[in-house]
Structures are given as structure tokens and as C-alpha cells.
Amino acid sequence: MDLQEKTLGQWLEHWAKTTPDKEYIVYSDRNLRFTWKQFNERVDKMAKGLLSIGVTKGTHVGI
């Protein structure tokens, strides 16, 4: 599958399933580490939280 055929979310799901225990993000200055699986779970929680407050496709959100 070409890179353009998957969304960022689909790529995250792919790597979380393929290499769940491999480290994905490391913040060495804060001694904080996330595996693909852990990061995917946090993203899912954030997405559910946004949906619960009414954020839908097309809603403008500032981060």
C-alpha cells in the first residue's frame, strides 16, 4: 500500500499492531517513554475525549 493511501491514524494503528512493544517516543529530559501501543492508546483516549465534548469532522481545534 502506498503511503498516500493511509491516514496518520491508520499508520499509527498499523505500527501499534505490528510492533506494540517497540519504543516510539522518548523524552529523555523527562524520563518519559512510550511504546507504539501506549501512544496509540493515549491517542484513542484523546480522540474519545474530543468526541465527548462535541468535536466532529470540520470542527476547528487549537492546540
Side-chain angles (χ1 to χ4, degrees), residues 44-55:
D44 286 347
K45 284 181 184 179
M46 182 175 177
K48 288 176 185 175
L50 291 171
L51 289 169
S52 75
I53 61 170
V55 175

Side-chain angles (χ1 to χ4, degrees), residues 27-33:
Y27 296 99
S28 57
D29 61 323
R30 292 186 261 167
N31 196 28
L32 186 60
R33 299 170 179 274

Side-chain angles (χ1 to χ4, degrees), residues 3-31:
L3 179 62
Q4 297 83 3
E5 293 181 17
K6 285 189 180 183
T7 65
L8 288 175
Q10 289 169 330
W11 277 113
L12 179 55
E13 292 286 334
H14 167 79
W15 290 115
K17 289 178 186 172
T18 305
T19 57
D21 298 323
K22 184 176 180 183
E23 284 187 337
Y24 172 56
I25 296 178
V26 176
Y27 296 99
S28 57
D29 61 323
R30 292 186 261 167
N31 196 28

